[in-house]
Amino acid sequence: MHLYGHVRVPIHTVVADALREQISSGELAVGSPVPSESELCARFGASRGPVRQALAQLRHEGLIETSQGRVPTVRDRPLAHSIDDFFSFTAWVQASGRTPGQRTIELAWRVPPASVAAHLQIAETDRAVVIVRQRSIDGLPAMLERSWYVDEVGRELFSIDTDAGSIFGALIERGVELDLGTHSIDAVTADDTDATQLDVPVGSPLLRVERTTSSYSGRVLEYADDRYRTDRAKLGIRNSRSTSAVSRPSVARLASEGILS
């Protein structure tokens, strides 16, 4: 036990906290070895038991990786993608100082499944344009993107280099009003296509974001099903109490209290 003020902290917690801080600050960079058990024992005046407990905790948190006969190293953590910045995978990765990539697997006109037609608010017999792309971060597959566009928007994709970068950016430059996005987040298991394109076993857990994109006037233009490898990307959501419907007083209540007239 270590004594901080009047609080006694277990030694394994002290070791884990110190290493966590070194990783967070970049003092221990991604891929660098973690100090050996003997070094940590000497540094903290601890026995091997608490040191191993601390390393196990960091491994559980995904901060380090260990394997039989190899020195533990700092793990490359998933890149956080804010759901608020839904417009461009390319811009997100570049803003994080990493290199984005994309490879088009399919681009075609099709009659979509009934569920997709419902999202696009088109008749079940209407055609739409589907594009499937593998998205990568620093050359490693991170997300499989399946997007459906209504016909008048999707036809633009056939004159765009879809392997060059952001489709959203290219469409916006052409005047397409991709203004509003509604997202639904859940977990799915990798199907055969997911497994092949993301280099994971079939049945692996993936983070799925379904997105419906519309113009300010309410016209639905795109529906997407994006599936992320959880070890290479994670999603963040920003909230503001001032814009929350839960915390915002209703107009009716304000009127009843004489605040509005």
Side-chain angles (χ1 to χ4, degrees):
M1 293 284 236
H2 273 217
L3 187 64
Y4 286 98
H6 299 290
V7 179
R8 291 190 176 276
V9 179
I11 186 63
H12 72 269
T13 299
V14 175
V15 176
D17 285 350
L19 291 175
R20 195 181 293 109
E21 174 59 30
Q22 285 184 278
I23 293 170
S24 177
S25 68
E27 184 179 346
L28 285 176
V30 171
S32 65
V34 176
S36 67
E37 289 184 8
S38 59
E39 289 175 314
L40 292 172
C41 287
R43 175 179 167 187
F44 293 97
S47 61
R48 288 187 180 270
V51 166
R52 288 173 180 170
Q53 191 175 354
L55 295 176
Q57 176 62 36
L58 296 179
R59 183 175 63 249
H60 177 73
E61 294 174 12
L63 295 177
I64 66 173
E65 54 187 354
T66 59
S67 59
Q68 188 69 31
R70 297 183 61 184
V71 175
T73 57
V74 177
R75 185 178 178 183
D76 190 6
R77 284 162 286 172
L79 191 58
H81 188 179
S82 172
I83 202 67
D84 305 272
D85 302 324
F86 77 96
F87 286 104
S88 175
F89 176 96
T90 300
W92 157 55
V93 177
Q94 289 176 334
S96 302
R98 310 283 281 277
T99 303
Q102 50 280 317
R103 180 171 60 85
T104 302
I105 300 163
E106 179 183 10
L107 174 61
W109 261 296
R110 282 191 183 176
V111 174
S115 60
V116 173
H119 280 290
L120 292 175
Q121 298 179 6
I122 61 176
E124 291 188 8
T125 55
D126 287 348
R127 291 197 312 170
V129 174
V130 61
I131 182 167
V132 181
R133 296 195 299 173
Q134 180 207 72
R135 311 305 300 273
S136 62
I137 301 173
D138 293 339
L140 299 174
M143 186 258 279
L144 189 64
E145 172 187 87
R146 296 176 174 92
S147 297
W148 291 83
Y149 291 87
V150 295
D151 181 82
E152 63 267 32
V153 174
R155 64 177 60 248
E156 297 284 348
L157 300 184
F158 293 93
S159 59
I160 292 173
D161 182 355
T162 56
D163 286 343
S166 172
I167 287 177
F168 262 37
L171 290 174
I172 290 169
E173 286 181 1
R174 292 170 178 237
V176 179
E177 298 177 335
L178 298 166
D179 299 319
L180 303 171
T182 301
H183 302 82
S184 175
I185 305 171
D186 64 1
V188 296
T189 55
D191 61 22
D192 290 338
T193 302
D194 298 330
T196 299
Q197 299 301 329
L198 294 177
D199 193 22
V200 296
V202 172
S204 297
L206 300 174
L207 185 64
R208 178 173 68 171
V209 178
E210 293 181 278
R211 179 182 67 247
T212 302
T213 309
S214 62
S215 66
Y216 281 125
S217 66
R219 174 78 167 97
V220 176
L221 303 176
E222 181 232 21
Y223 165 73
D225 177 322
D226 297 339
R227 303 186 180 194
Y228 294 81
R229 278 186 56 151
T230 57
D231 60 337
R232 292 183 181 157
K234 63 180 181 178
L235 297 175
I237 299 175
R238 291 191 298 266
N239 291 310
S240 170
R241 191 169 67 86
S242 63
T243 59
S244 169
V246 174
S247 62
R248 188 168 57 247
S250 68
V251 171
R253 182 171 69 80
L254 292 175
S256 69
E257 295 175 357
I259 298 173
L260 293 180
S261 58

